[in-house]
Amino acid sequence: MLLTLMIIQFVILVSIIRGTGKRVSSLEQEVGTLRERLLKLDQTDKAPPTISTEAASDDAAQNVLAEPDRPMAPAISEAIAEEADLEPPVIAAREETTADGVSEAAEPAITLSTEPVLLTAPRTASASQDSLENLLGARWAVWAGGLALALGGIFLVRYSIESGLLGPGVRLSLAAFFGLILIGGAELIRRKALPKAAALYENAMIPGILTAAGAVSIFGSIYAAHGIYEFIGPTPAFLLLALTAFAVLGLSLLHGQALAGLGLAGSMITPALIASTGPRPWTLFGFLAVVQVATSAASRIRGWHLVPGLAHLALGFWVIAYLAFSDYTELTPVALALIAMIASWALVWPGRIREDDGATDQAVIVDSVSRQLGRGPIWLDISMAIAILLPALAMLGLDGDTDLFPSYVFATLIATLAAAGSQNKGAIWPSMLAGFGAVIGALFDGSMVTQLVNDLIDAQGSSAVLTDFDGPLVLVLLGLGAIFLMLGVAFLARSGRQAPVMATVWASLAAAMPILLATISFLFYGIYAFDLTHGLYAVGVGAALIVAAELLHRGRFGMIDGPARDILVSGGFAAFALALHVMTDGLVTTLALAVLGFGFLMATRLRSWASLPWMMVAALAGVMLRIGSDPTLVGPDALSRTPFFNQLLPGYGIPALLAIIAAYELRNWPGERVRNALQGIAALMSLLTIAILVRHAMNGGVLDSSTPTLGEQSIYTLLVIGMSGILMTLDRKSPSHVFRYGSMIAGGLSIVQILSLHLGGLNPYFSGESTGEWPLVNLLLIGYLIPGLSYAGLAVYARGKRPLPYVTMLALSGATLGFSWVTLSVRRFWQGEYIAYWKGFEQAETYSYSVAWLVIGVGLLVLGSRFDARSLRITSAVIVMLSVAKAFLVDMSHLEGVLRALSFIGLGFVLIGIGLFYQRILARKSSTPDDGRDAPGEVLEG
């Protein structure tokens, strides 16, 4: 009885499916015909699409000839749509005129040709233009129907369980049989359904939905047979699930990428569904590797991008999960599975599809960078690289037992990824991410991080060796750097001419990776006093990079008109600088670095490479960094106390001298920026050399952070003033932006020193410092008068050469210093060697200030008239106004008797004299004919 009911249900189900298939076919036929007519009517006023008879498939014509009952136009439309991934063209029907004059549409006329045809017209419709009716009726209804079928099968099994009608074995067999029926019905509908519907609703195809529903039913049946009822063991269940997943993946070639995603998902969850006593890494990752390769092969056939990228990430997730939950980790199968994934990316999909010899570099850039995520190979590149990097980095954090040294596996995976990227001209992301992963892995290895933290929290800050020499880790880091160097040079030799953009990327990796990894290795595992291993490695890397640059220059690799050669030169310099750092110390390192940069600069006599003089700039910058970290260059205890003739003289003087020679050597170099940079650095280092020697001599041979005295600061100010004048002179002989703006910056810095130190903190009136025993030759002379005269001379020299505001500022600075010298000299005359403010003021001293200020005002007025300097006359007026203010505010209250009277009488005579003097100047101006020039006294020439 039960068997009879099952047979009846099966017959009814088949009848229903068959009737439903006929109705669906009829509806699709009508919908396709109506849509075709609507499109034809919509394009009656437009030009028909162009069909070229130059490319397509012969199979389409053969299929049409083999099936005479099948409409020919849709057949050709389907063939073209499948080949070119386009919707079928609109084919106008032939019209015939009957006897009564009525025009009727006849069958579409198609002329078959054995020559291939290529559709060159754009799509006639877009998914974005679908009506609501199409979305609801032709797409969403199909999706909902497929879900309903899958749920129906599940509910049917559940109902049979709850009702106790059938046993577990029969229920599972029926569920599996139901899935097979759905898959078979899908194939039947695929072969018999109208191609019009397939072309119009390719993302909602009924065969694909039915196949997916059937696959879900079969998956559930197999898992229930193993996991719930234990009818079959783990091995048969695993094999059946894997076989089903691969079958679904194979059917996806017929039904699309969505079904391939379902097959991939089934494959990836199959190991998790099978319970076992312990993980079997070889079986697990062997199966996952096969799934990955099969997915790549299917994607290659159909040109899919999303599913293979998901397969990459899924395999990477499985590796991370295994590493996280395994007590004893077998890294060998894991590494082989990941390498198989790299191989499938490099050889299967996308493989060497971007290695078209006729492709331009612009096409490579568009293919590898410009496509949207998930729509092109960029998604495949990034997903594959991430699926390698994350597990490789996770291996470095393993604490349990492993069959291989995790660092070796990490280096192997990174090297394999980099090698695969170097074989493809368009694979920019795997190449760059491989380098990034190598640096991150080297930095965040567990032992390295521990040592770094210990060094940072070390209160003593000693420079002792962080760890004992660890041979294997050093070998891993240095070997990985060497691999990047070889891959980069090999790429330049093989594809540098065809792909200059990728050549730049690989030149950067070849130059940067060995140096970065060697630096990290030295910092954590090196011997700071003298490390021959890292030193020789750096020398070898530098020599290899320079040789590669020379081969590029000679055309051995094909001449590359790009920055690749300059990047190699820069890397070579950096490698040699690293070698100097790890094998020398102190003063020797500083001098050797300057000499190294000078050697690269002198190479400009042999090669006119733009990067060579910049290496001198980089070397001098490194020297200044070393000076900033330790101004003594040899340590405070080892610095000699002999003035001038000590370690500072060669340590500062030789780099400054080389900078001056370098600037002179490049006087005719076409690159203006590098010339300006060297000129500015030469001027700065020359000034720095003199200043540091002066400070050392005036502080008893000790360099510390104590505040300098006014005498020492005066020397610095004079040096800056002199530097401004020298730069101004150089600018006249060899015009340069560095000389022009550098001279004004130097002058501005000196003025800041005047305002903050000479008139402020280091002023003997505030600091109480001794001015010296001699009346005139004392601290006030070097601190105020000499700098004031220097500013005056610089202002005169700058007239006509620098902007007027700058010249005026120099003149005012000189006048201010002169005024300060006179005022402080008056106080020293009355107070003696110490002129501090706490000693108070005498009446005669107060009167002397008024006399001195008036004399200064008159003197500046005379000089301003003599040189036609309006700034001096304005300064004179300011000083006279100060004298007037002092007379009425100070003298009236502090002076008594004859001194008060003399103060005001003298002030009156001086003011009257100044008025008469100005009248004579104005009278002279009014009698001078206007010759078109600026009137004297109106402006200061500049």
Side-chain angles (χ1 to χ4, degrees):
M1 183 63 182
L2 180 60
L3 181 60
T4 304
L5 290 175
M6 292 174 56
I7 295 174
I8 293 174
Q9 289 179 358
F10 174 72
V11 172
I12 294 174
L13 182 61
V14 172
S15 301
I16 292 174
I17 293 176
R18 183 177 181 182
T20 302
K22 291 181 178 180
R23 288 192 296 271
V24 169
S25 300
S26 178
L27 290 174
E28 288 181 349
Q29 175 71 36
E30 294 179 4
V31 171
T33 303
L34 291 174
R35 181 175 178 84
E36 195 174 71
R37 291 181 179 179
L38 288 175
L39 293 175
K40 181 190 68 175
L41 294 175
D42 184 60
Q43 295 187 355
T44 52
D45 297 334
K46 301 179 181 179
T50 303
I51 300 180
S52 174
T53 60
E54 295 181 1
S57 172
D58 292 337
D59 296 337
Q62 295 175 4
N63 292 336
V64 173
L65 294 176
E67 298 181 20
D69 296 336
R70 186 176 182 180
M72 290 182 292
I76 296 180
S77 301
E78 182 184 30
I80 297 175
E82 289 182 357
E83 186 69 21
D85 195 23
L86 297 171
E87 292 189 3
V90 178
I91 303 176
R94 185 177 69 251
E95 293 187 354
E96 295 181 357
T97 304
T98 60
D100 55 358
V102 179
S103 178
E104 296 181 352
E107 292 294 328
I110 299 294
T111 302
L112 296 179
S113 174
T114 57
E115 294 294 329
V117 294
L118 175 64
L119 178 66
T120 59
R123 286 191 173 189
T124 58
S126 174
S128 61
Q129 299 174 347
D130 287 339
S131 65
L132 179 62
E133 180 181 5
N134 289 335
L135 292 175
L136 293 176
R139 302 183 190 277
W140 295 351
V142 175
W143 300 333
L147 179 61
L149 285 174
L151 293 177
I154 296 174
F155 291 153
L156 183 61
V157 174
R158 180 179 178 183
Y159 173 76
S160 65
I161 294 174
E162 294 175 351
S163 302
L165 298 177
L166 303 173
V170 177
R171 290 195 298 266
L172 294 178
S173 299
L174 287 177
F177 188 61
F178 178 69
L180 292 175
I181 290 176
L182 290 179
I183 294 176
E187 180 63 18
L188 182 63
I189 294 175
R190 186 188 71 84
R191 294 188 178 187
K192 298 299 183 180
L194 286 177
K196 292 181 181 178
L200 295 175
Y201 310 110
E202 55 184 356
N203 64 337
M205 277 300 296
I206 294 175
I209 298 296
L210 293 177
T211 303
V216 171
S217 181
I218 296 174
F219 270 119
S221 301
I222 298 174
Y223 175 69
H226 166 72
I228 298 177
Y229 300 107
E230 299 182 353
F231 289 157
I232 57 177
T235 302
F238 180 84
L239 294 176
L240 288 175
L241 288 173
L243 180 62
T244 304
F246 279 108
V248 173
L249 185 61
L251 290 174
S252 67
L253 296 175
L254 300 175
H255 299 295
Q257 187 169 204
L259 190 61
L262 178 62
L264 174 65
S267 302
M268 289 300 173
I269 66 174
T270 292
L273 297 177
I274 306 302
S276 60
T277 57
R280 298 178 180 178
W282 284 97
T283 302
L284 171 63
F285 290 104
F287 169 73
L288 295 176
V290 172
V291 171
Q292 169 63 50
V293 175
T295 304
S296 298
S299 302
R300 171 83 184 212
I301 296 173
R302 294 300 301 272
W304 294 330
H305 299 107
L306 182 59
V307 169
L310 295 177
H312 295 156
L313 298 179
L315 179 55
F317 172 80
W318 264 109
V319 172
I320 294 176
Y322 171 71
L323 297 177
F325 297 103
S326 297
D327 295 331
Y328 176 76
T329 308
E330 295 187 44
L331 295 179
T332 303
V334 173
L336 292 177
L338 293 176
I339 292 174
M341 179 173 65
I342 299 175
S344 68
W345 173 87
L347 303 176
V348 181
W349 178 247
R352 300 175 66 86
I353 192 172
R354 286 164 291 198
E355 292 286 350
D356 184 10
D357 293 336
T360 62
D361 188 61
Q362 290 77 9
V364 171
I365 298 173
V366 171
D367 184 60
S368 61
V369 179
S370 301
R371 292 193 181 184
Q372 298 177 355
L373 190 63
R375 298 291 296 173
I378 181 177
W379 160 247
L380 300 180
D381 297 347
I382 294 178
S383 62
M384 187 275 299
I386 292 177
I388 295 296
L389 291 183
L390 294 183
L393 293 174
M395 292 177 187
L396 298 177
L398 292 176
D399 296 328
D401 296 333
T402 59
D403 61 335
L404 295 176
F405 191 41
S407 295
Y408 288 165
V409 182
F410 167 81
T412 301
L413 293 175
I414 295 298
T416 306
L417 177 62
S422 69
Q423 298 303 311
N424 200 320
K425 292 186 294 185
I428 185 173
W429 291 108
S431 304
M432 296 177 63
L433 290 176
F436 175 77
V439 176
I440 296 299
L443 287 174
F444 290 95
D445 188 2
S447 59
M448 296 183 180
V449 175
T450 301
Q451 295 298 330
L452 179 61
V453 173
N454 292 336
D455 183 59
L456 292 177
I457 64 177
D458 185 8
Q460 298 179 355
S462 62
S463 59
V465 179
L466 295 177
T467 61
D468 295 333
F469 183 80
D470 196 330
L473 291 177
V474 171
L475 178 63
V476 167
L477 295 178
L478 298 186
L480 194 57
I483 290 174
F484 273 96
L485 174 60
M486 291 186 293
L487 290 176
V489 175
F491 183 89
L492 294 177
R494 184 183 67 256
S495 305
R497 179 182 301 177
Q498 294 84 6
V501 173
M502 283 299 298
T504 303
V505 173
W506 268 108
S508 302
L509 291 174
M513 293 306 303
I515 301 170
L516 287 175
L517 295 177
T519 302
I520 295 172
S521 176
F522 172 74
L523 290 176
F524 291 104
Y525 304 110
I527 303 174
Y528 283 12
F530 179 78
D531 196 323
L532 185 62
T533 301
H534 290 89
L536 293 179
Y537 176 83
V539 171
V541 170
L545 292 173
I546 297 300
V547 170
E550 177 64 19
L551 292 177
L552 285 178
H553 174 75
R554 295 185 179 184
R556 299 292 178 87
F557 295 167
M559 192 62 181
I560 299 179
D561 297 329
R565 183 184 59 203
D566 293 331
I567 293 174
L568 295 177
V569 173
S570 302
F573 169 81
F576 289 137
L578 176 62
L580 292 176
H581 181 77
V582 302
M583 292 194 296
T584 61
D585 194 15
L587 181 62
V588 177
T589 304
T590 304
L591 296 177
L593 186 59
V595 173
L596 175 64
F598 188 75
F600 273 80
L601 182 133
M602 295 305 295
T604 55
R605 295 189 174 187
L606 302 176
R607 297 287 183 266
S608 59
W609 300 345
S611 57
L612 290 175
W614 283 107
M615 298 305 99
M616 183 61 182
V617 175
L620 294 176
V623 169
M624 296 181 70
L625 288 176
R626 292 186 58 83
I627 290 174
S629 62
D630 182 12
T632 64
L633 299 179
V634 294
D637 298 334
L639 180 60
S640 173
R641 294 179 179 270
T642 303
F644 298 105
F645 299 100
N646 50 65
Q647 294 94 329
L648 299 177
L649 181 61
Y652 286 75
I654 292 178
L657 179 62
L658 292 178
I660 295 173
I661 298 175
Y664 178 78
E665 183 72 19
L666 291 185
R667 63 190 183 279
N668 298 322
W669 186 260
E672 181 180 2
R673 292 183 178 179
V674 68
R675 286 192 287 110
N676 293 338
L678 282 176
Q679 291 168 358
I681 294 176
L684 179 60
M685 294 199 68
S686 300
L687 177 62
L688 184 62
T689 301
I690 300 175
I692 200 69
L693 291 174
V694 169
R695 182 169 179 80
H696 176 270
M698 298 191 68
N699 285 275
V702 177
L703 294 180
D704 53 29
S705 58
S706 61
T707 303
T709 62
L710 178 61
E712 181 182 347
Q713 180 58 43
S714 299
I715 295 177
Y716 298 152
T717 302
L718 292 174
L719 288 174
V720 176
I721 296 173
M723 178 62 61
S724 179
I726 293 173
L727 293 178
M728 199 181 307
T729 302
L730 293 175
D731 185 46
R732 294 187 62 188
K733 295 182 178 180
S734 178
S736 169
H737 291 298
V738 171
F739 293 155
R740 177 175 178 80
Y741 295 107
S743 64
M744 292 190 289
I745 292 175
L749 291 176
S750 64
I751 293 174
V752 172
Q753 292 177 342
I754 291 295
L755 296 176
S756 60
L757 298 176
H758 288 252
L759 302 180
L762 299 181
N763 191 332
Y765 178 76
F766 299 108
S767 65
E769 182 183 357
S770 172
T771 60
E773 299 179 356
W774 294 0
L776 295 177
V777 182
N778 50 39
L779 181 62
L780 300 179
L781 177 69
I782 191 175
Y784 295 95
L785 182 58
I786 294 179
L789 295 175
S790 300
Y791 274 114
L794 185 62
V796 173
Y797 184 62
R799 294 181 67 184
K801 307 179 186 67
R802 291 294 179 265
L804 176 60
Y806 174 73
V807 177
T808 302
M809 184 174 60
L810 293 176
L812 292 176
S813 299
T816 301
L817 286 175
F819 174 78
S820 300
W821 176 75
V822 172
T823 302
L824 295 176
S825 295
V826 170
R827 182 166 179 78
R828 189 191 182 285
F829 176 79
W830 294 102
Q831 299 291 341
E833 182 178 350
Y834 296 95
I835 60 175
Y837 65 92
W838 57 78
K839 298 181 68 174
F841 294 89
E842 299 180 1
Q843 288 193 3
E845 177 186 350
T846 303
Y847 176 74
S848 301
Y849 292 136
S850 299
V851 175
W853 291 358
L854 289 174
V855 172
I856 294 175
V858 173
L860 290 177
L861 180 61
V862 174
L863 291 176
S865 175
R866 170 66 178 81
F867 295 103
D868 196 16
R870 187 182 180 184
S871 58
L872 294 180
R873 296 198 299 270
I874 292 176
T875 304
S876 169
V878 172
I879 295 177
V880 171
M881 291 177 63
L882 288 176
S883 301
V884 174
K886 175 181 175 297
F888 284 94
L889 297 177
V890 179
D891 294 355
M892 187 176 294
S893 58
H894 288 79
L895 297 180
E896 297 178 355
V898 66
L899 292 179
R900 178 187 297 176
L902 291 176
S903 175
F904 280 88
I905 290 173
L907 178 61
F909 279 117
V910 171
L911 292 177
I912 292 174
I914 291 175
L916 292 175
F917 190 79
Y918 264 103
Q919 290 178 7
R920 292 184 59 185
I921 293 177
L922 295 176
R924 188 186 313 129
K925 287 184 179 181
S926 61
S927 62
T928 302
D930 187 6
D931 57 357
R933 296 178 299 176
D934 293 335
E938 292 298 326
V939 296
L940 180 64
E941 294 180 4

